[in-house]
């Protein structure tokens, strides 16, 4: 599979997934767009690629249609032959157990192995795609990982060894962020440089990639990253507001828990853990502090809302509502603690 076509196909999937496309409808939708852009590919080949992505869990199907995981989205948008391209392709297939085990074991000592040995352990299609990135080093027809990628690759594997696998690793997200926003460019004015980040478990990894504190004063500097942030939240929340289940794309907002204006680091501003996918009404109420959530995900309503007689019918807010446990990551709990303290109307700040 040629990298150029594969990346284009992933970009199309990323674009059409917002329209509640079923897995069965996907190949023809993708094929039509590829043909319109003069790509020479057969419908049967598109079907094979879609099924391959689905089988390898890079493309998932929810109740609101297909959705591409964040790692392949990053891969599709990454620069040619970059570290981000190589590592995002690896992370794309880490949900495949045989591939994950190969990467985990190979990362330990990173000894040279033959192509035949690799293809006995992982899917040949994945291997051929990896060969089109800078992930491998070659010596006398033997292969190992490029030394320049090994440290970050080990960090990604370590994140995936946690009890709960990440939606996308902190390492890859930080690397992608660094590739989009030139945080080393001192001509770009930053604010909030004296504020404190939340205590990320992988804070040292994030700061080793993006050492500069604060966020760009001009929010337009992060426009493409905000698109990725929203895309990731759409994936996590299955294209629907968790409170009222509205699933119309243009009615949904990627709502920051710790407001963008208050973020102490660029990573906080684009981390999906610092967000909820909410409909426009619930986004406004949450943003203005009319409700929040406790550490268990239960909703906390402000006195201003509790006084409303039509709370459930007009505001679609139930006193016993609880966010699903899958959304209550350690980092999201930290951001919600900030929201309760500094944004919620009835806080004791």
């Amino acid at each position: 599979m040629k990298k150029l076509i594969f990346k284009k196909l992933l970009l199309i999937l990323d674009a059409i997934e917002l329209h509640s496309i079923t897995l069965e409808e996907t190949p023809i939708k993708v094929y039509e767009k590829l043909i319109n852009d003069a790509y020479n590919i057969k419908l049967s080949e598109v079907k094979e690629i879609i099924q391959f992505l689905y089988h390898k869990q890079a493309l998932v199907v929810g109740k609101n249609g297909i959705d591409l995981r964040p790692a392949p989205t990053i891969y599709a948008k990454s620069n040619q032959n970059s570290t981000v391209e190589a590592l995002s392709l690896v992370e794309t297939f880490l949900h495949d157990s045989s591939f994950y085990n190969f990467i985990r074991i190979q990362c330990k000592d990173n000894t040279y192995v033959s192509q035949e040995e690799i293809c006995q352990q992982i899917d040949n299609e994945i291997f051929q795609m990896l060969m089109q990135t800078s992930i491998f080093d070659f010596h006398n027809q033997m292969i190992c990982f490029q030394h320049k990628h090994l440290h970050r690759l080990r960090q990604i594997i370590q994140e995936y060894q946690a009890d709960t696998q990440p939606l996308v690793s902190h390492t890859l997200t930080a690397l992608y962020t660094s590739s989009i926003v030139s945080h080393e460019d001192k001509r770009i004015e930053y604010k909030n440089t004296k504020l404190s980040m939340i205590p990320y478990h992988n804070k040292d990894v994030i700061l080793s990639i993006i050492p500069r504190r604060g966020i760009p004063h001009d929010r337009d500097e992060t426009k493409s990253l905000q698109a990725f942030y929203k895309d990731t939240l759409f994936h996590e929340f299955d294209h629907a507001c968790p409170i009222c289940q509205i699933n119309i794309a243009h009615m949904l907002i990627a709502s920051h828990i710790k407001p963008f204006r208050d973020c102490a680091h660029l990573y906080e501003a684009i981390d999906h853990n610092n967000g909820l996918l909410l409909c426009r009404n619930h986004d406004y109420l949450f943003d203005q502090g009319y409700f929040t959530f406790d550490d268990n995900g239960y909703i906390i309503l402000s006195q201003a809302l509790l006084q409303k007689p039509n709370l459930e019918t007009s505001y679609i807010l139930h006193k016993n509502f609880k966010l699903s446990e899958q959304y209550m990551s350690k980092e999201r709990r930290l951001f919600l603690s900030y929201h309760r303290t500094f944004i919620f109307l009835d806080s004791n700040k």
Side-chain angles (χ1 to χ4, degrees), residues 307-324:
Q307 294 171 6
K308 301 294 183 182
N310 53 346
L311 186 64
E312 295 188 1
T313 55
S314 295
Y315 295 85
I316 320 296
L317 288 172
H318 301 272
K319 296 177 183 178
N320 62 346
F321 175 80
K322 181 179 183 293
L323 286 171
S324 173

Side-chain angles (χ1 to χ4, degrees), residues 197-200 256-259 263-264 267-275 286 292-293 295 329-343:
M197 291 175 67
I198 66 163
Y200 281 103
H256 279 87
I257 300 172
K258 182 179 184 180
C263 288
Y267 192 89
E268 285 188 335
I270 58 88
D271 179 14
H272 71 96
N273 291 291
N274 184 20
F286 182 73
T292 190
F293 296 94
D295 280 343
S329 64
K330 179 181 178 181
E331 291 83 6
R332 187 167 274 126
R333 286 187 171 95
L334 292 171
F335 282 115
L336 286 170
S337 176
Y338 181 95
H339 190 272
R340 291 194 300 273
T341 302
F342 297 103
I343 308 299

Side-chain angles (χ1 to χ4, degrees), residues 49-66:
I49 297 171
I50 298 299
Q51 283 301 316
F52 172 76
L53 290 168
Y54 176 65
H55 178 68
K56 298 300 181 183
Q57 301 180 57
L59 181 71
V60 298
V61 179
K63 63 181 180 181
N64 292 309
I66 62 159

Side-chain angles (χ1 to χ4, degrees), residues 113-178:
V113 294
S114 68
Q115 178 175 332
E116 290 73 19
E117 289 178 88
I118 295 177
C119 290
Q120 287 174 0
Q121 300 177 65
I122 69 173
D123 192 295
N124 184 61
E125 197 67 53
I126 296 178
F127 177 68
Q128 293 302 323
M129 285 189 286
L130 289 172
M131 289 282 282
Q132 298 177 64
T133 72
S134 62
I135 195 68
F136 291 129
D137 183 36
F138 302 89
H139 180 70
N140 293 334
Q141 297 184 332
M142 302 291 279
I143 302 171
C144 71
F145 292 129
Q146 282 268 15
H147 182 74
K148 65 179 181 180
H149 297 319
L150 194 56
H151 178 55
R152 298 304 182 193
L153 191 53
R154 286 170 174 164
Q155 289 175 333
I156 290 173
I157 290 298
Q158 187 174 21
E159 290 190 52
Y160 273 79
Q161 289 176 326
D163 293 337
T164 303
Q165 289 192 344
L167 185 63
V168 57
S169 69
H170 291 295
T171 303
L172 180 59
T173 305
L175 287 168
Y176 180 59
T177 299
S178 179

Side-chain angles (χ1 to χ4, degrees), residues 15-244:
I16 68 173
E17 66 185 10
L18 297 179
H19 304 297
S20 300
I21 305 297
T22 68
L23 185 63
E24 293 71 25
E25 295 173 313
T26 301
I28 189 64
K29 297 288 186 182
V30 172
Y31 176 72
E32 290 171 348
K33 291 186 177 294
L34 284 171
I35 293 301
N36 286 339
D37 289 342
Y39 282 86
N40 184 20
I41 190 170
K42 298 177 181 178
L43 177 58
S44 59
E45 293 175 304
V46 174
K47 288 181 178 179
E48 288 179 4
I49 297 171
I50 298 299
Q51 283 301 316
F52 172 76
L53 290 168
Y54 176 65
H55 178 68
K56 298 300 181 183
Q57 301 180 57
L59 181 71
V60 298
V61 179
K63 63 181 180 181
N64 292 309
I66 62 159
D67 202 296
L68 197 63
R69 286 186 181 273
T73 300
I74 291 176
Y75 170 73
K77 297 178 179 180
S78 61
N79 295 326
Q80 295 286 341
N81 301 319
S82 64
T83 296
V84 172
E85 181 187 69
L87 295 182
S88 60
L89 187 60
V90 170
E91 188 164 331
T92 291
F93 298 112
L94 283 182
H95 296 278
D96 180 77
S97 58
S98 60
F99 181 71
Y100 170 80
N101 288 329
F102 164 74
I103 297 294
R104 178 178 58 82
I105 294 170
Q106 182 65 23
C107 273
K108 288 182 179 179
D109 299 320
N110 197 33
T111 55
Y112 280 96
V113 294
S114 68
Q115 178 175 332
E116 290 73 19
E117 289 178 88
I118 295 177
C119 290
Q120 287 174 0
Q121 300 177 65
I122 69 173
D123 192 295
N124 184 61
E125 197 67 53
I126 296 178
F127 177 68
Q128 293 302 323
M129 285 189 286
L130 289 172
M131 289 282 282
Q132 298 177 64
T133 72
S134 62
I135 195 68
F136 291 129
D137 183 36
F138 302 89
H139 180 70
N140 293 334
Q141 297 184 332
M142 302 291 279
I143 302 171
C144 71
F145 292 129
Q146 282 268 15
H147 182 74
K148 65 179 181 180
H149 297 319
L150 194 56
H151 178 55
R152 298 304 182 193
L153 191 53
R154 286 170 174 164
Q155 289 175 333
I156 290 173
I157 290 298
Q158 187 174 21
E159 290 190 52
Y160 273 79
Q161 289 176 326
D163 293 337
T164 303
Q165 289 192 344
L167 185 63
V168 57
S169 69
H170 291 295
T171 303
L172 180 59
T173 305
L175 287 168
Y176 180 59
T177 299
S178 179
S179 73
I180 298 299
V181 175
S182 182
H183 55 88
E184 296 179 350
D185 188 345
K186 300 303 180 182
R187 294 172 298 178
I188 300 177
E189 184 181 355
Y190 271 50
K191 62 180 181 179
N192 299 350
T193 56
K194 302 298 183 181
L195 299 183
S196 298
M197 291 175 67
I198 66 163
Y200 281 103
H201 174 69
N202 291 303
K203 185 176 179 179
D204 58 335
V205 174
I206 296 168
L207 290 177
S208 71
I209 298 169
I210 311 174
R212 190 174 184 180
R213 305 294 184 119
I215 57 174
H217 192 276
D218 184 355
R219 188 164 178 170
D220 283 346
E221 295 286 348
T222 66
K223 187 177 295 184
S224 58
L225 285 174
Q226 291 305 312
F228 172 72
Y229 168 79
K230 183 174 183 178
D231 192 57
T232 306
L233 284 172
F234 263 83
H235 174 83
E236 183 178 14
F237 287 89
D238 194 16
H239 302 194
C241 172
I243 298 174
C244 64

